[in-house]
Amino acid sequence: MIDRNVSLDLMEFVEQQILPRYNQFDKAHNLSHAQQVIRESVQLARAVGADVNMSYAIAAYHDLGLEGPRAIHHLTSGKILAADIRLRKWFSPAQLQVMREAVEDHRASASHAPRSIYGKIVAEADRELTPETVIRRTIQYGLNHYPDKSREEHWNRFIEHMDAKYSIHGYIKLWLPGSSNSKKLDQLRELIAHPQQMRPIFERIYDEETTDDGSTPPKAP
Protein backbone atom coordinates (compact mmCIF):
# COMPACT_ATOMS: atom_id res chain seq x y z
CA MET A 1 0.00 0.00 0.00
CA ILE A 2 1.35 3.41 -0.98
CA ASP A 3 -0.13 5.44 1.89
CA ARG A 4 -2.83 4.65 4.42
CA ASN A 5 -4.41 8.04 3.70
CA VAL A 6 -5.03 7.25 0.01
CA SER A 7 -8.61 6.13 -0.58
CA LEU A 8 -8.68 2.36 -1.11
CA ASP A 9 -11.40 2.49 -3.73
CA LEU A 10 -9.58 5.27 -5.61
CA MET A 11 -6.43 3.16 -5.54
CA GLU A 12 -8.34 0.12 -6.80
CA PHE A 13 -9.85 2.15 -9.65
CA VAL A 14 -6.49 3.58 -10.69
CA GLU A 15 -4.68 0.25 -10.53
CA GLN A 16 -7.35 -1.53 -12.58
CA GLN A 17 -8.45 1.14 -15.04
CA ILE A 18 -5.65 3.70 -15.42
CA LEU A 19 -2.20 2.23 -14.80
CA PRO A 20 -2.50 -0.60 -17.39
CA ARG A 21 -2.60 2.08 -20.10
CA TYR A 22 1.08 2.79 -19.40
CA ASN A 23 2.05 -0.66 -20.70
CA GLN A 24 1.84 0.65 -24.27
CA PHE A 25 4.44 3.39 -23.77
CA ASP A 26 8.22 3.32 -24.20
CA LYS A 27 10.50 2.10 -21.40
CA ALA A 28 11.15 5.62 -20.16
CA HIS A 29 7.42 6.24 -19.60
CA ASN A 30 6.07 2.80 -18.79
CA LEU A 31 4.17 1.39 -15.82
CA SER A 32 7.27 1.34 -13.63
CA HIS A 33 7.77 5.07 -14.25
CA ALA A 34 4.14 5.86 -13.45
CA GLN A 35 4.32 3.89 -10.20
CA GLN A 36 7.51 5.70 -9.19
CA VAL A 37 5.93 9.11 -9.84
CA ILE A 38 2.90 8.08 -7.78
CA ARG A 39 5.03 6.96 -4.83
CA GLU A 40 7.13 10.12 -4.89
CA SER A 41 4.08 12.38 -5.30
CA VAL A 42 2.33 10.88 -2.30
CA GLN A 43 5.47 11.25 -0.17
CA LEU A 44 5.91 14.88 -1.21
CA ALA A 45 2.22 15.64 -0.62
CA ARG A 46 2.49 14.24 2.89
CA ALA A 47 5.65 16.28 3.53
CA VAL A 48 4.10 19.60 2.46
CA GLY A 49 0.60 18.97 3.83
CA ALA A 50 -1.18 18.63 0.50
CA ASP A 51 -4.10 16.31 -0.29
CA VAL A 52 -2.64 12.84 -0.91
CA ASN A 53 -5.65 11.64 -2.91
CA MET A 54 -5.35 14.54 -5.33
CA SER A 55 -1.60 14.02 -5.66
CA TYR A 56 -2.09 10.28 -6.18
CA ALA A 57 -4.59 10.77 -9.01
CA ILE A 58 -2.59 13.56 -10.66
CA ALA A 59 0.47 11.33 -10.79
CA ALA A 60 -1.57 8.43 -12.18
CA TYR A 61 -2.86 10.53 -15.08
CA HIS A 62 0.21 12.68 -15.73
CA ASP A 63 1.54 10.87 -18.82
CA LEU A 64 -1.62 9.35 -20.33
CA GLY A 65 -1.39 11.93 -23.11
CA LEU A 66 1.46 9.90 -24.59
CA GLU A 67 -1.35 8.02 -26.32
CA GLY A 68 -1.14 11.01 -28.68
CA PRO A 69 1.63 13.39 -29.83
CA ARG A 70 4.46 13.63 -27.30
CA ALA A 71 4.95 17.37 -27.80
CA ILE A 72 1.54 18.13 -26.28
CA HIS A 73 1.19 15.09 -24.04
CA HIS A 74 0.95 17.20 -20.88
CA LEU A 75 -2.03 19.10 -22.29
CA THR A 76 -3.66 15.92 -23.58
CA SER A 77 -3.12 14.26 -20.19
CA GLY A 78 -4.91 17.16 -18.52
CA LYS A 79 -7.84 16.79 -20.91
CA ILE A 80 -8.04 13.06 -20.22
CA LEU A 81 -8.19 13.68 -16.48
CA ALA A 82 -10.79 16.42 -16.82
CA ALA A 83 -12.97 14.32 -19.10
CA ASP A 84 -12.98 11.24 -16.86
CA ILE A 85 -16.32 11.59 -15.07
CA ARG A 86 -15.47 8.61 -12.86
CA LEU A 87 -13.19 10.88 -10.84
CA ARG A 88 -16.21 12.87 -9.66
CA LYS A 89 -16.76 10.12 -7.12
CA TRP A 90 -13.74 11.38 -5.17
CA PHE A 91 -13.15 15.00 -6.24
CA SER A 92 -15.13 18.21 -6.57
CA PRO A 93 -15.18 20.27 -9.80
CA ALA A 94 -12.82 22.78 -8.18
CA GLN A 95 -10.37 20.04 -7.21
CA LEU A 96 -10.52 18.53 -10.69
CA GLN A 97 -9.65 21.89 -12.23
CA VAL A 98 -6.59 22.19 -10.00
CA MET A 99 -5.66 18.60 -10.86
CA ARG A 100 -5.96 19.25 -14.59
CA GLU A 101 -3.71 22.30 -14.30
CA ALA A 102 -1.18 20.31 -12.29
CA VAL A 103 -0.99 17.64 -14.99
CA GLU A 104 -0.63 20.32 -17.66
CA ASP A 105 2.18 21.98 -15.69
CA HIS A 106 4.28 18.89 -14.97
CA ARG A 107 6.46 18.98 -18.08
CA ALA A 108 10.10 19.88 -17.43
CA SER A 109 10.24 22.20 -20.45
CA ALA A 110 7.19 24.22 -19.38
CA SER A 111 7.70 27.95 -19.86
CA HIS A 112 5.98 28.88 -16.60
CA ALA A 113 6.01 27.74 -13.00
CA PRO A 114 3.31 25.26 -11.95
CA ARG A 115 0.15 27.09 -10.93
CA SER A 116 -0.31 25.24 -7.63
CA ILE A 117 1.51 23.13 -5.09
CA TYR A 118 0.05 20.09 -6.85
CA GLY A 119 1.75 21.00 -10.10
CA LYS A 120 5.02 21.44 -8.22
CA ILE A 121 4.59 18.07 -6.53
CA VAL A 122 4.04 16.07 -9.72
CA ALA A 123 6.71 18.03 -11.60
CA GLU A 124 9.21 17.26 -8.85
CA ALA A 125 8.15 13.61 -8.60
CA ASP A 126 8.46 13.20 -12.36
CA ARG A 127 12.12 14.22 -12.32
CA GLU A 128 13.71 10.93 -11.13
CA LEU A 129 17.13 12.61 -11.03
CA THR A 130 19.25 9.73 -9.81
CA PRO A 131 22.04 9.89 -12.44
CA GLU A 132 21.83 6.19 -13.33
CA THR A 133 18.06 6.46 -13.85
CA VAL A 134 18.28 9.62 -15.96
CA ILE A 135 21.02 8.15 -18.14
CA ARG A 136 19.12 4.89 -18.65
CA ARG A 137 15.81 6.59 -19.46
CA THR A 138 17.50 8.89 -21.96
CA ILE A 139 19.14 5.93 -23.70
CA GLN A 140 15.87 3.97 -23.65
CA TYR A 141 14.03 6.87 -25.25
CA GLY A 142 16.65 7.20 -27.97
CA LEU A 143 16.64 3.48 -28.78
CA ASN A 144 12.85 3.43 -28.90
CA HIS A 145 12.38 6.51 -31.07
CA TYR A 146 15.52 6.37 -33.23
CA PRO A 147 16.19 2.66 -33.79
CA ASP A 148 18.19 3.25 -36.98
CA LYS A 149 20.80 5.47 -35.37
CA SER A 150 24.29 4.06 -34.85
CA ARG A 151 25.86 3.83 -31.41
CA GLU A 152 27.86 7.00 -32.01
CA GLU A 153 24.76 8.83 -33.23
CA HIS A 154 22.97 7.76 -30.07
CA TRP A 155 25.87 9.06 -28.00
CA ASN A 156 25.75 12.42 -29.73
CA ARG A 157 21.98 12.68 -29.28
CA PHE A 158 22.34 11.63 -25.66
CA ILE A 159 24.98 14.26 -24.85
CA GLU A 160 23.03 16.98 -26.62
CA HIS A 161 19.87 16.15 -24.68
CA MET A 162 21.65 15.89 -21.33
CA ASP A 163 23.28 19.27 -21.82
CA ALA A 164 20.08 20.97 -23.00
CA LYS A 165 17.94 19.63 -20.16
CA TYR A 166 20.09 18.85 -17.11
CA SER A 167 23.25 20.96 -17.28
CA ILE A 168 23.82 24.14 -15.29
CA HIS A 169 22.25 26.13 -18.13
CA GLY A 170 19.60 23.49 -18.95
CA TYR A 171 15.87 24.08 -18.85
CA ILE A 172 14.98 21.76 -15.98
CA LYS A 173 13.80 23.50 -12.81
CA LEU A 174 13.20 22.21 -9.30
CA TRP A 175 10.11 23.65 -7.64
CA LEU A 176 10.33 22.34 -4.07
CA PRO A 177 13.38 23.71 -2.21
CA GLY A 178 15.34 21.20 -0.19
CA SER A 179 14.08 18.14 -2.04
CA SER A 180 16.34 15.13 -2.51
CA ASN A 181 16.50 15.97 -6.20
CA SER A 182 18.81 18.93 -5.59
CA LYS A 183 21.77 16.74 -4.62
CA LYS A 184 21.04 14.28 -7.42
CA LEU A 185 20.96 17.08 -9.98
CA ASP A 186 24.33 18.34 -8.73
CA GLN A 187 25.78 14.86 -9.22
CA LEU A 188 24.33 14.65 -12.72
CA ARG A 189 25.69 18.07 -13.66
CA GLU A 190 29.15 17.02 -12.53
CA LEU A 191 29.01 14.10 -14.97
CA ILE A 192 27.69 16.29 -17.78
CA ALA A 193 30.60 18.68 -17.24
CA HIS A 194 33.01 15.77 -17.74
CA PRO A 195 31.86 13.73 -20.76
CA GLN A 196 34.88 11.44 -20.45
CA GLN A 197 33.42 10.22 -17.14
CA MET A 198 29.96 9.91 -18.65
CA ARG A 199 31.00 7.83 -21.68
CA PRO A 200 31.75 4.55 -19.83
CA ILE A 201 28.39 4.76 -18.06
CA PHE A 202 26.66 5.36 -21.38
CA GLU A 203 28.45 2.40 -22.97
CA ARG A 204 27.52 0.02 -20.14
CA ILE A 205 23.85 0.96 -20.09
CA TYR A 206 23.63 1.08 -23.88
CA ASP A 207 24.94 -2.49 -24.03
CA GLU A 208 22.49 -3.59 -21.34
CA GLU A 209 19.54 -2.02 -23.12
CA THR A 210 20.41 -3.50 -26.50
CA THR A 211 21.23 -7.05 -25.42
CA ASP A 212 19.17 -7.91 -22.32
CA ASP A 213 16.13 -8.91 -24.38
CA GLY A 214 18.16 -10.86 -26.89
CA SER A 215 17.87 -8.20 -29.57
CA THR A 216 20.67 -7.17 -31.87
CA PRO A 217 22.33 -3.88 -30.93
CA PRO A 218 21.91 -1.04 -33.43
CA LYS A 219 24.53 -0.85 -36.16
CA ALA A 220 28.04 0.24 -35.22
CA PRO A 221 29.15 3.72 -36.27
Side-chain angles (χ1 to χ4, degrees), residues 121-185:
I121 287 170
V122 69
E124 190 77 16
D126 191 41
R127 297 302 177 254
E128 292 189 32
L129 292 181
T130 301
E132 176 94 3
T133 301
V134 172
I135 294 168
R136 187 175 298 277
R137 290 186 69 206
T138 303
I139 293 171
Q140 288 173 339
Y141 180 87
L143 289 169
N144 185 268
H145 291 270
Y146 307 101
D148 293 330
K149 284 186 180 294
S150 69
R151 179 187 292 258
E152 195 64 21
E153 287 171 332
H154 275 290
W155 164 252
N156 291 332
R157 190 207 73 84
F158 168 83
I159 283 296
E160 181 179 343
H161 174 77
M162 296 293 283
D163 182 72
K165 183 173 182 177
Y166 298 105
S167 71
I168 193 68
H169 56 265
Y171 60 78
I172 194 169
K173 295 179 177 65
L174 301 182
W175 301 113
L176 295 178
S179 75
S180 62
N181 275 336
S182 296
K183 183 176 181 179
K184 295 174 184 176
L185 184 56

Side-chain angles (χ1 to χ4, degrees), residues 23-63:
N23 287 319
Q24 65 184 301
F25 302 147
D26 63 84
K27 286 184 178 180
H29 301 89
N30 61 9
L31 178 60
S32 177
H33 169 67
Q35 291 171 327
Q36 172 62 28
V37 175
I38 288 173
R39 285 192 295 269
E40 188 67 21
S41 289
V42 170
Q43 291 174 7
L44 288 170
R46 200 167 57 237
V48 301
D51 187 300
V52 294
N53 286 310
M54 289 175 65
S55 294
Y56 175 87
I58 290 164
Y61 281 74
H62 85 284
D63 269 347

Side-chain angles (χ1 to χ4, degrees), residues 26 29 33 48 60 64-65 85 96 110 112 115 134 139 201 207:
D26 63 84
H29 301 89
H33 169 67
V48 301
L64 289 185
I85 61 174
L96 289 170
H112 59 83
R115 286 165 281 185
V134 172
I139 293 171
I201 304 173
D207 285 342

Side-chain angles (χ1 to χ4, degrees), residues 48-110:
V48 301
D51 187 300
V52 294
N53 286 310
M54 289 175 65
S55 294
Y56 175 87
I58 290 164
Y61 281 74
H62 85 284
D63 269 347
L64 289 185
L66 289 170
E67 294 170 343
R70 177 178 170 78
I72 58 169
H73 83 278
H74 52 305
L75 301 177
T76 306
S77 297
K79 290 178 181 178
I80 292 171
L81 184 151
D84 196 337
I85 61 174
R86 296 171 296 182
L87 290 173
R88 297 176 188 174
K89 177 179 178 180
W90 299 281
F91 305 108
S92 70
Q95 288 175 314
L96 289 170
Q97 178 60 28
V98 172
M99 293 162 67
R100 174 180 183 165
E101 292 175 353
V103 170
E104 292 174 343
D105 292 346
H106 87 271
R107 197 174 187 195
S109 58

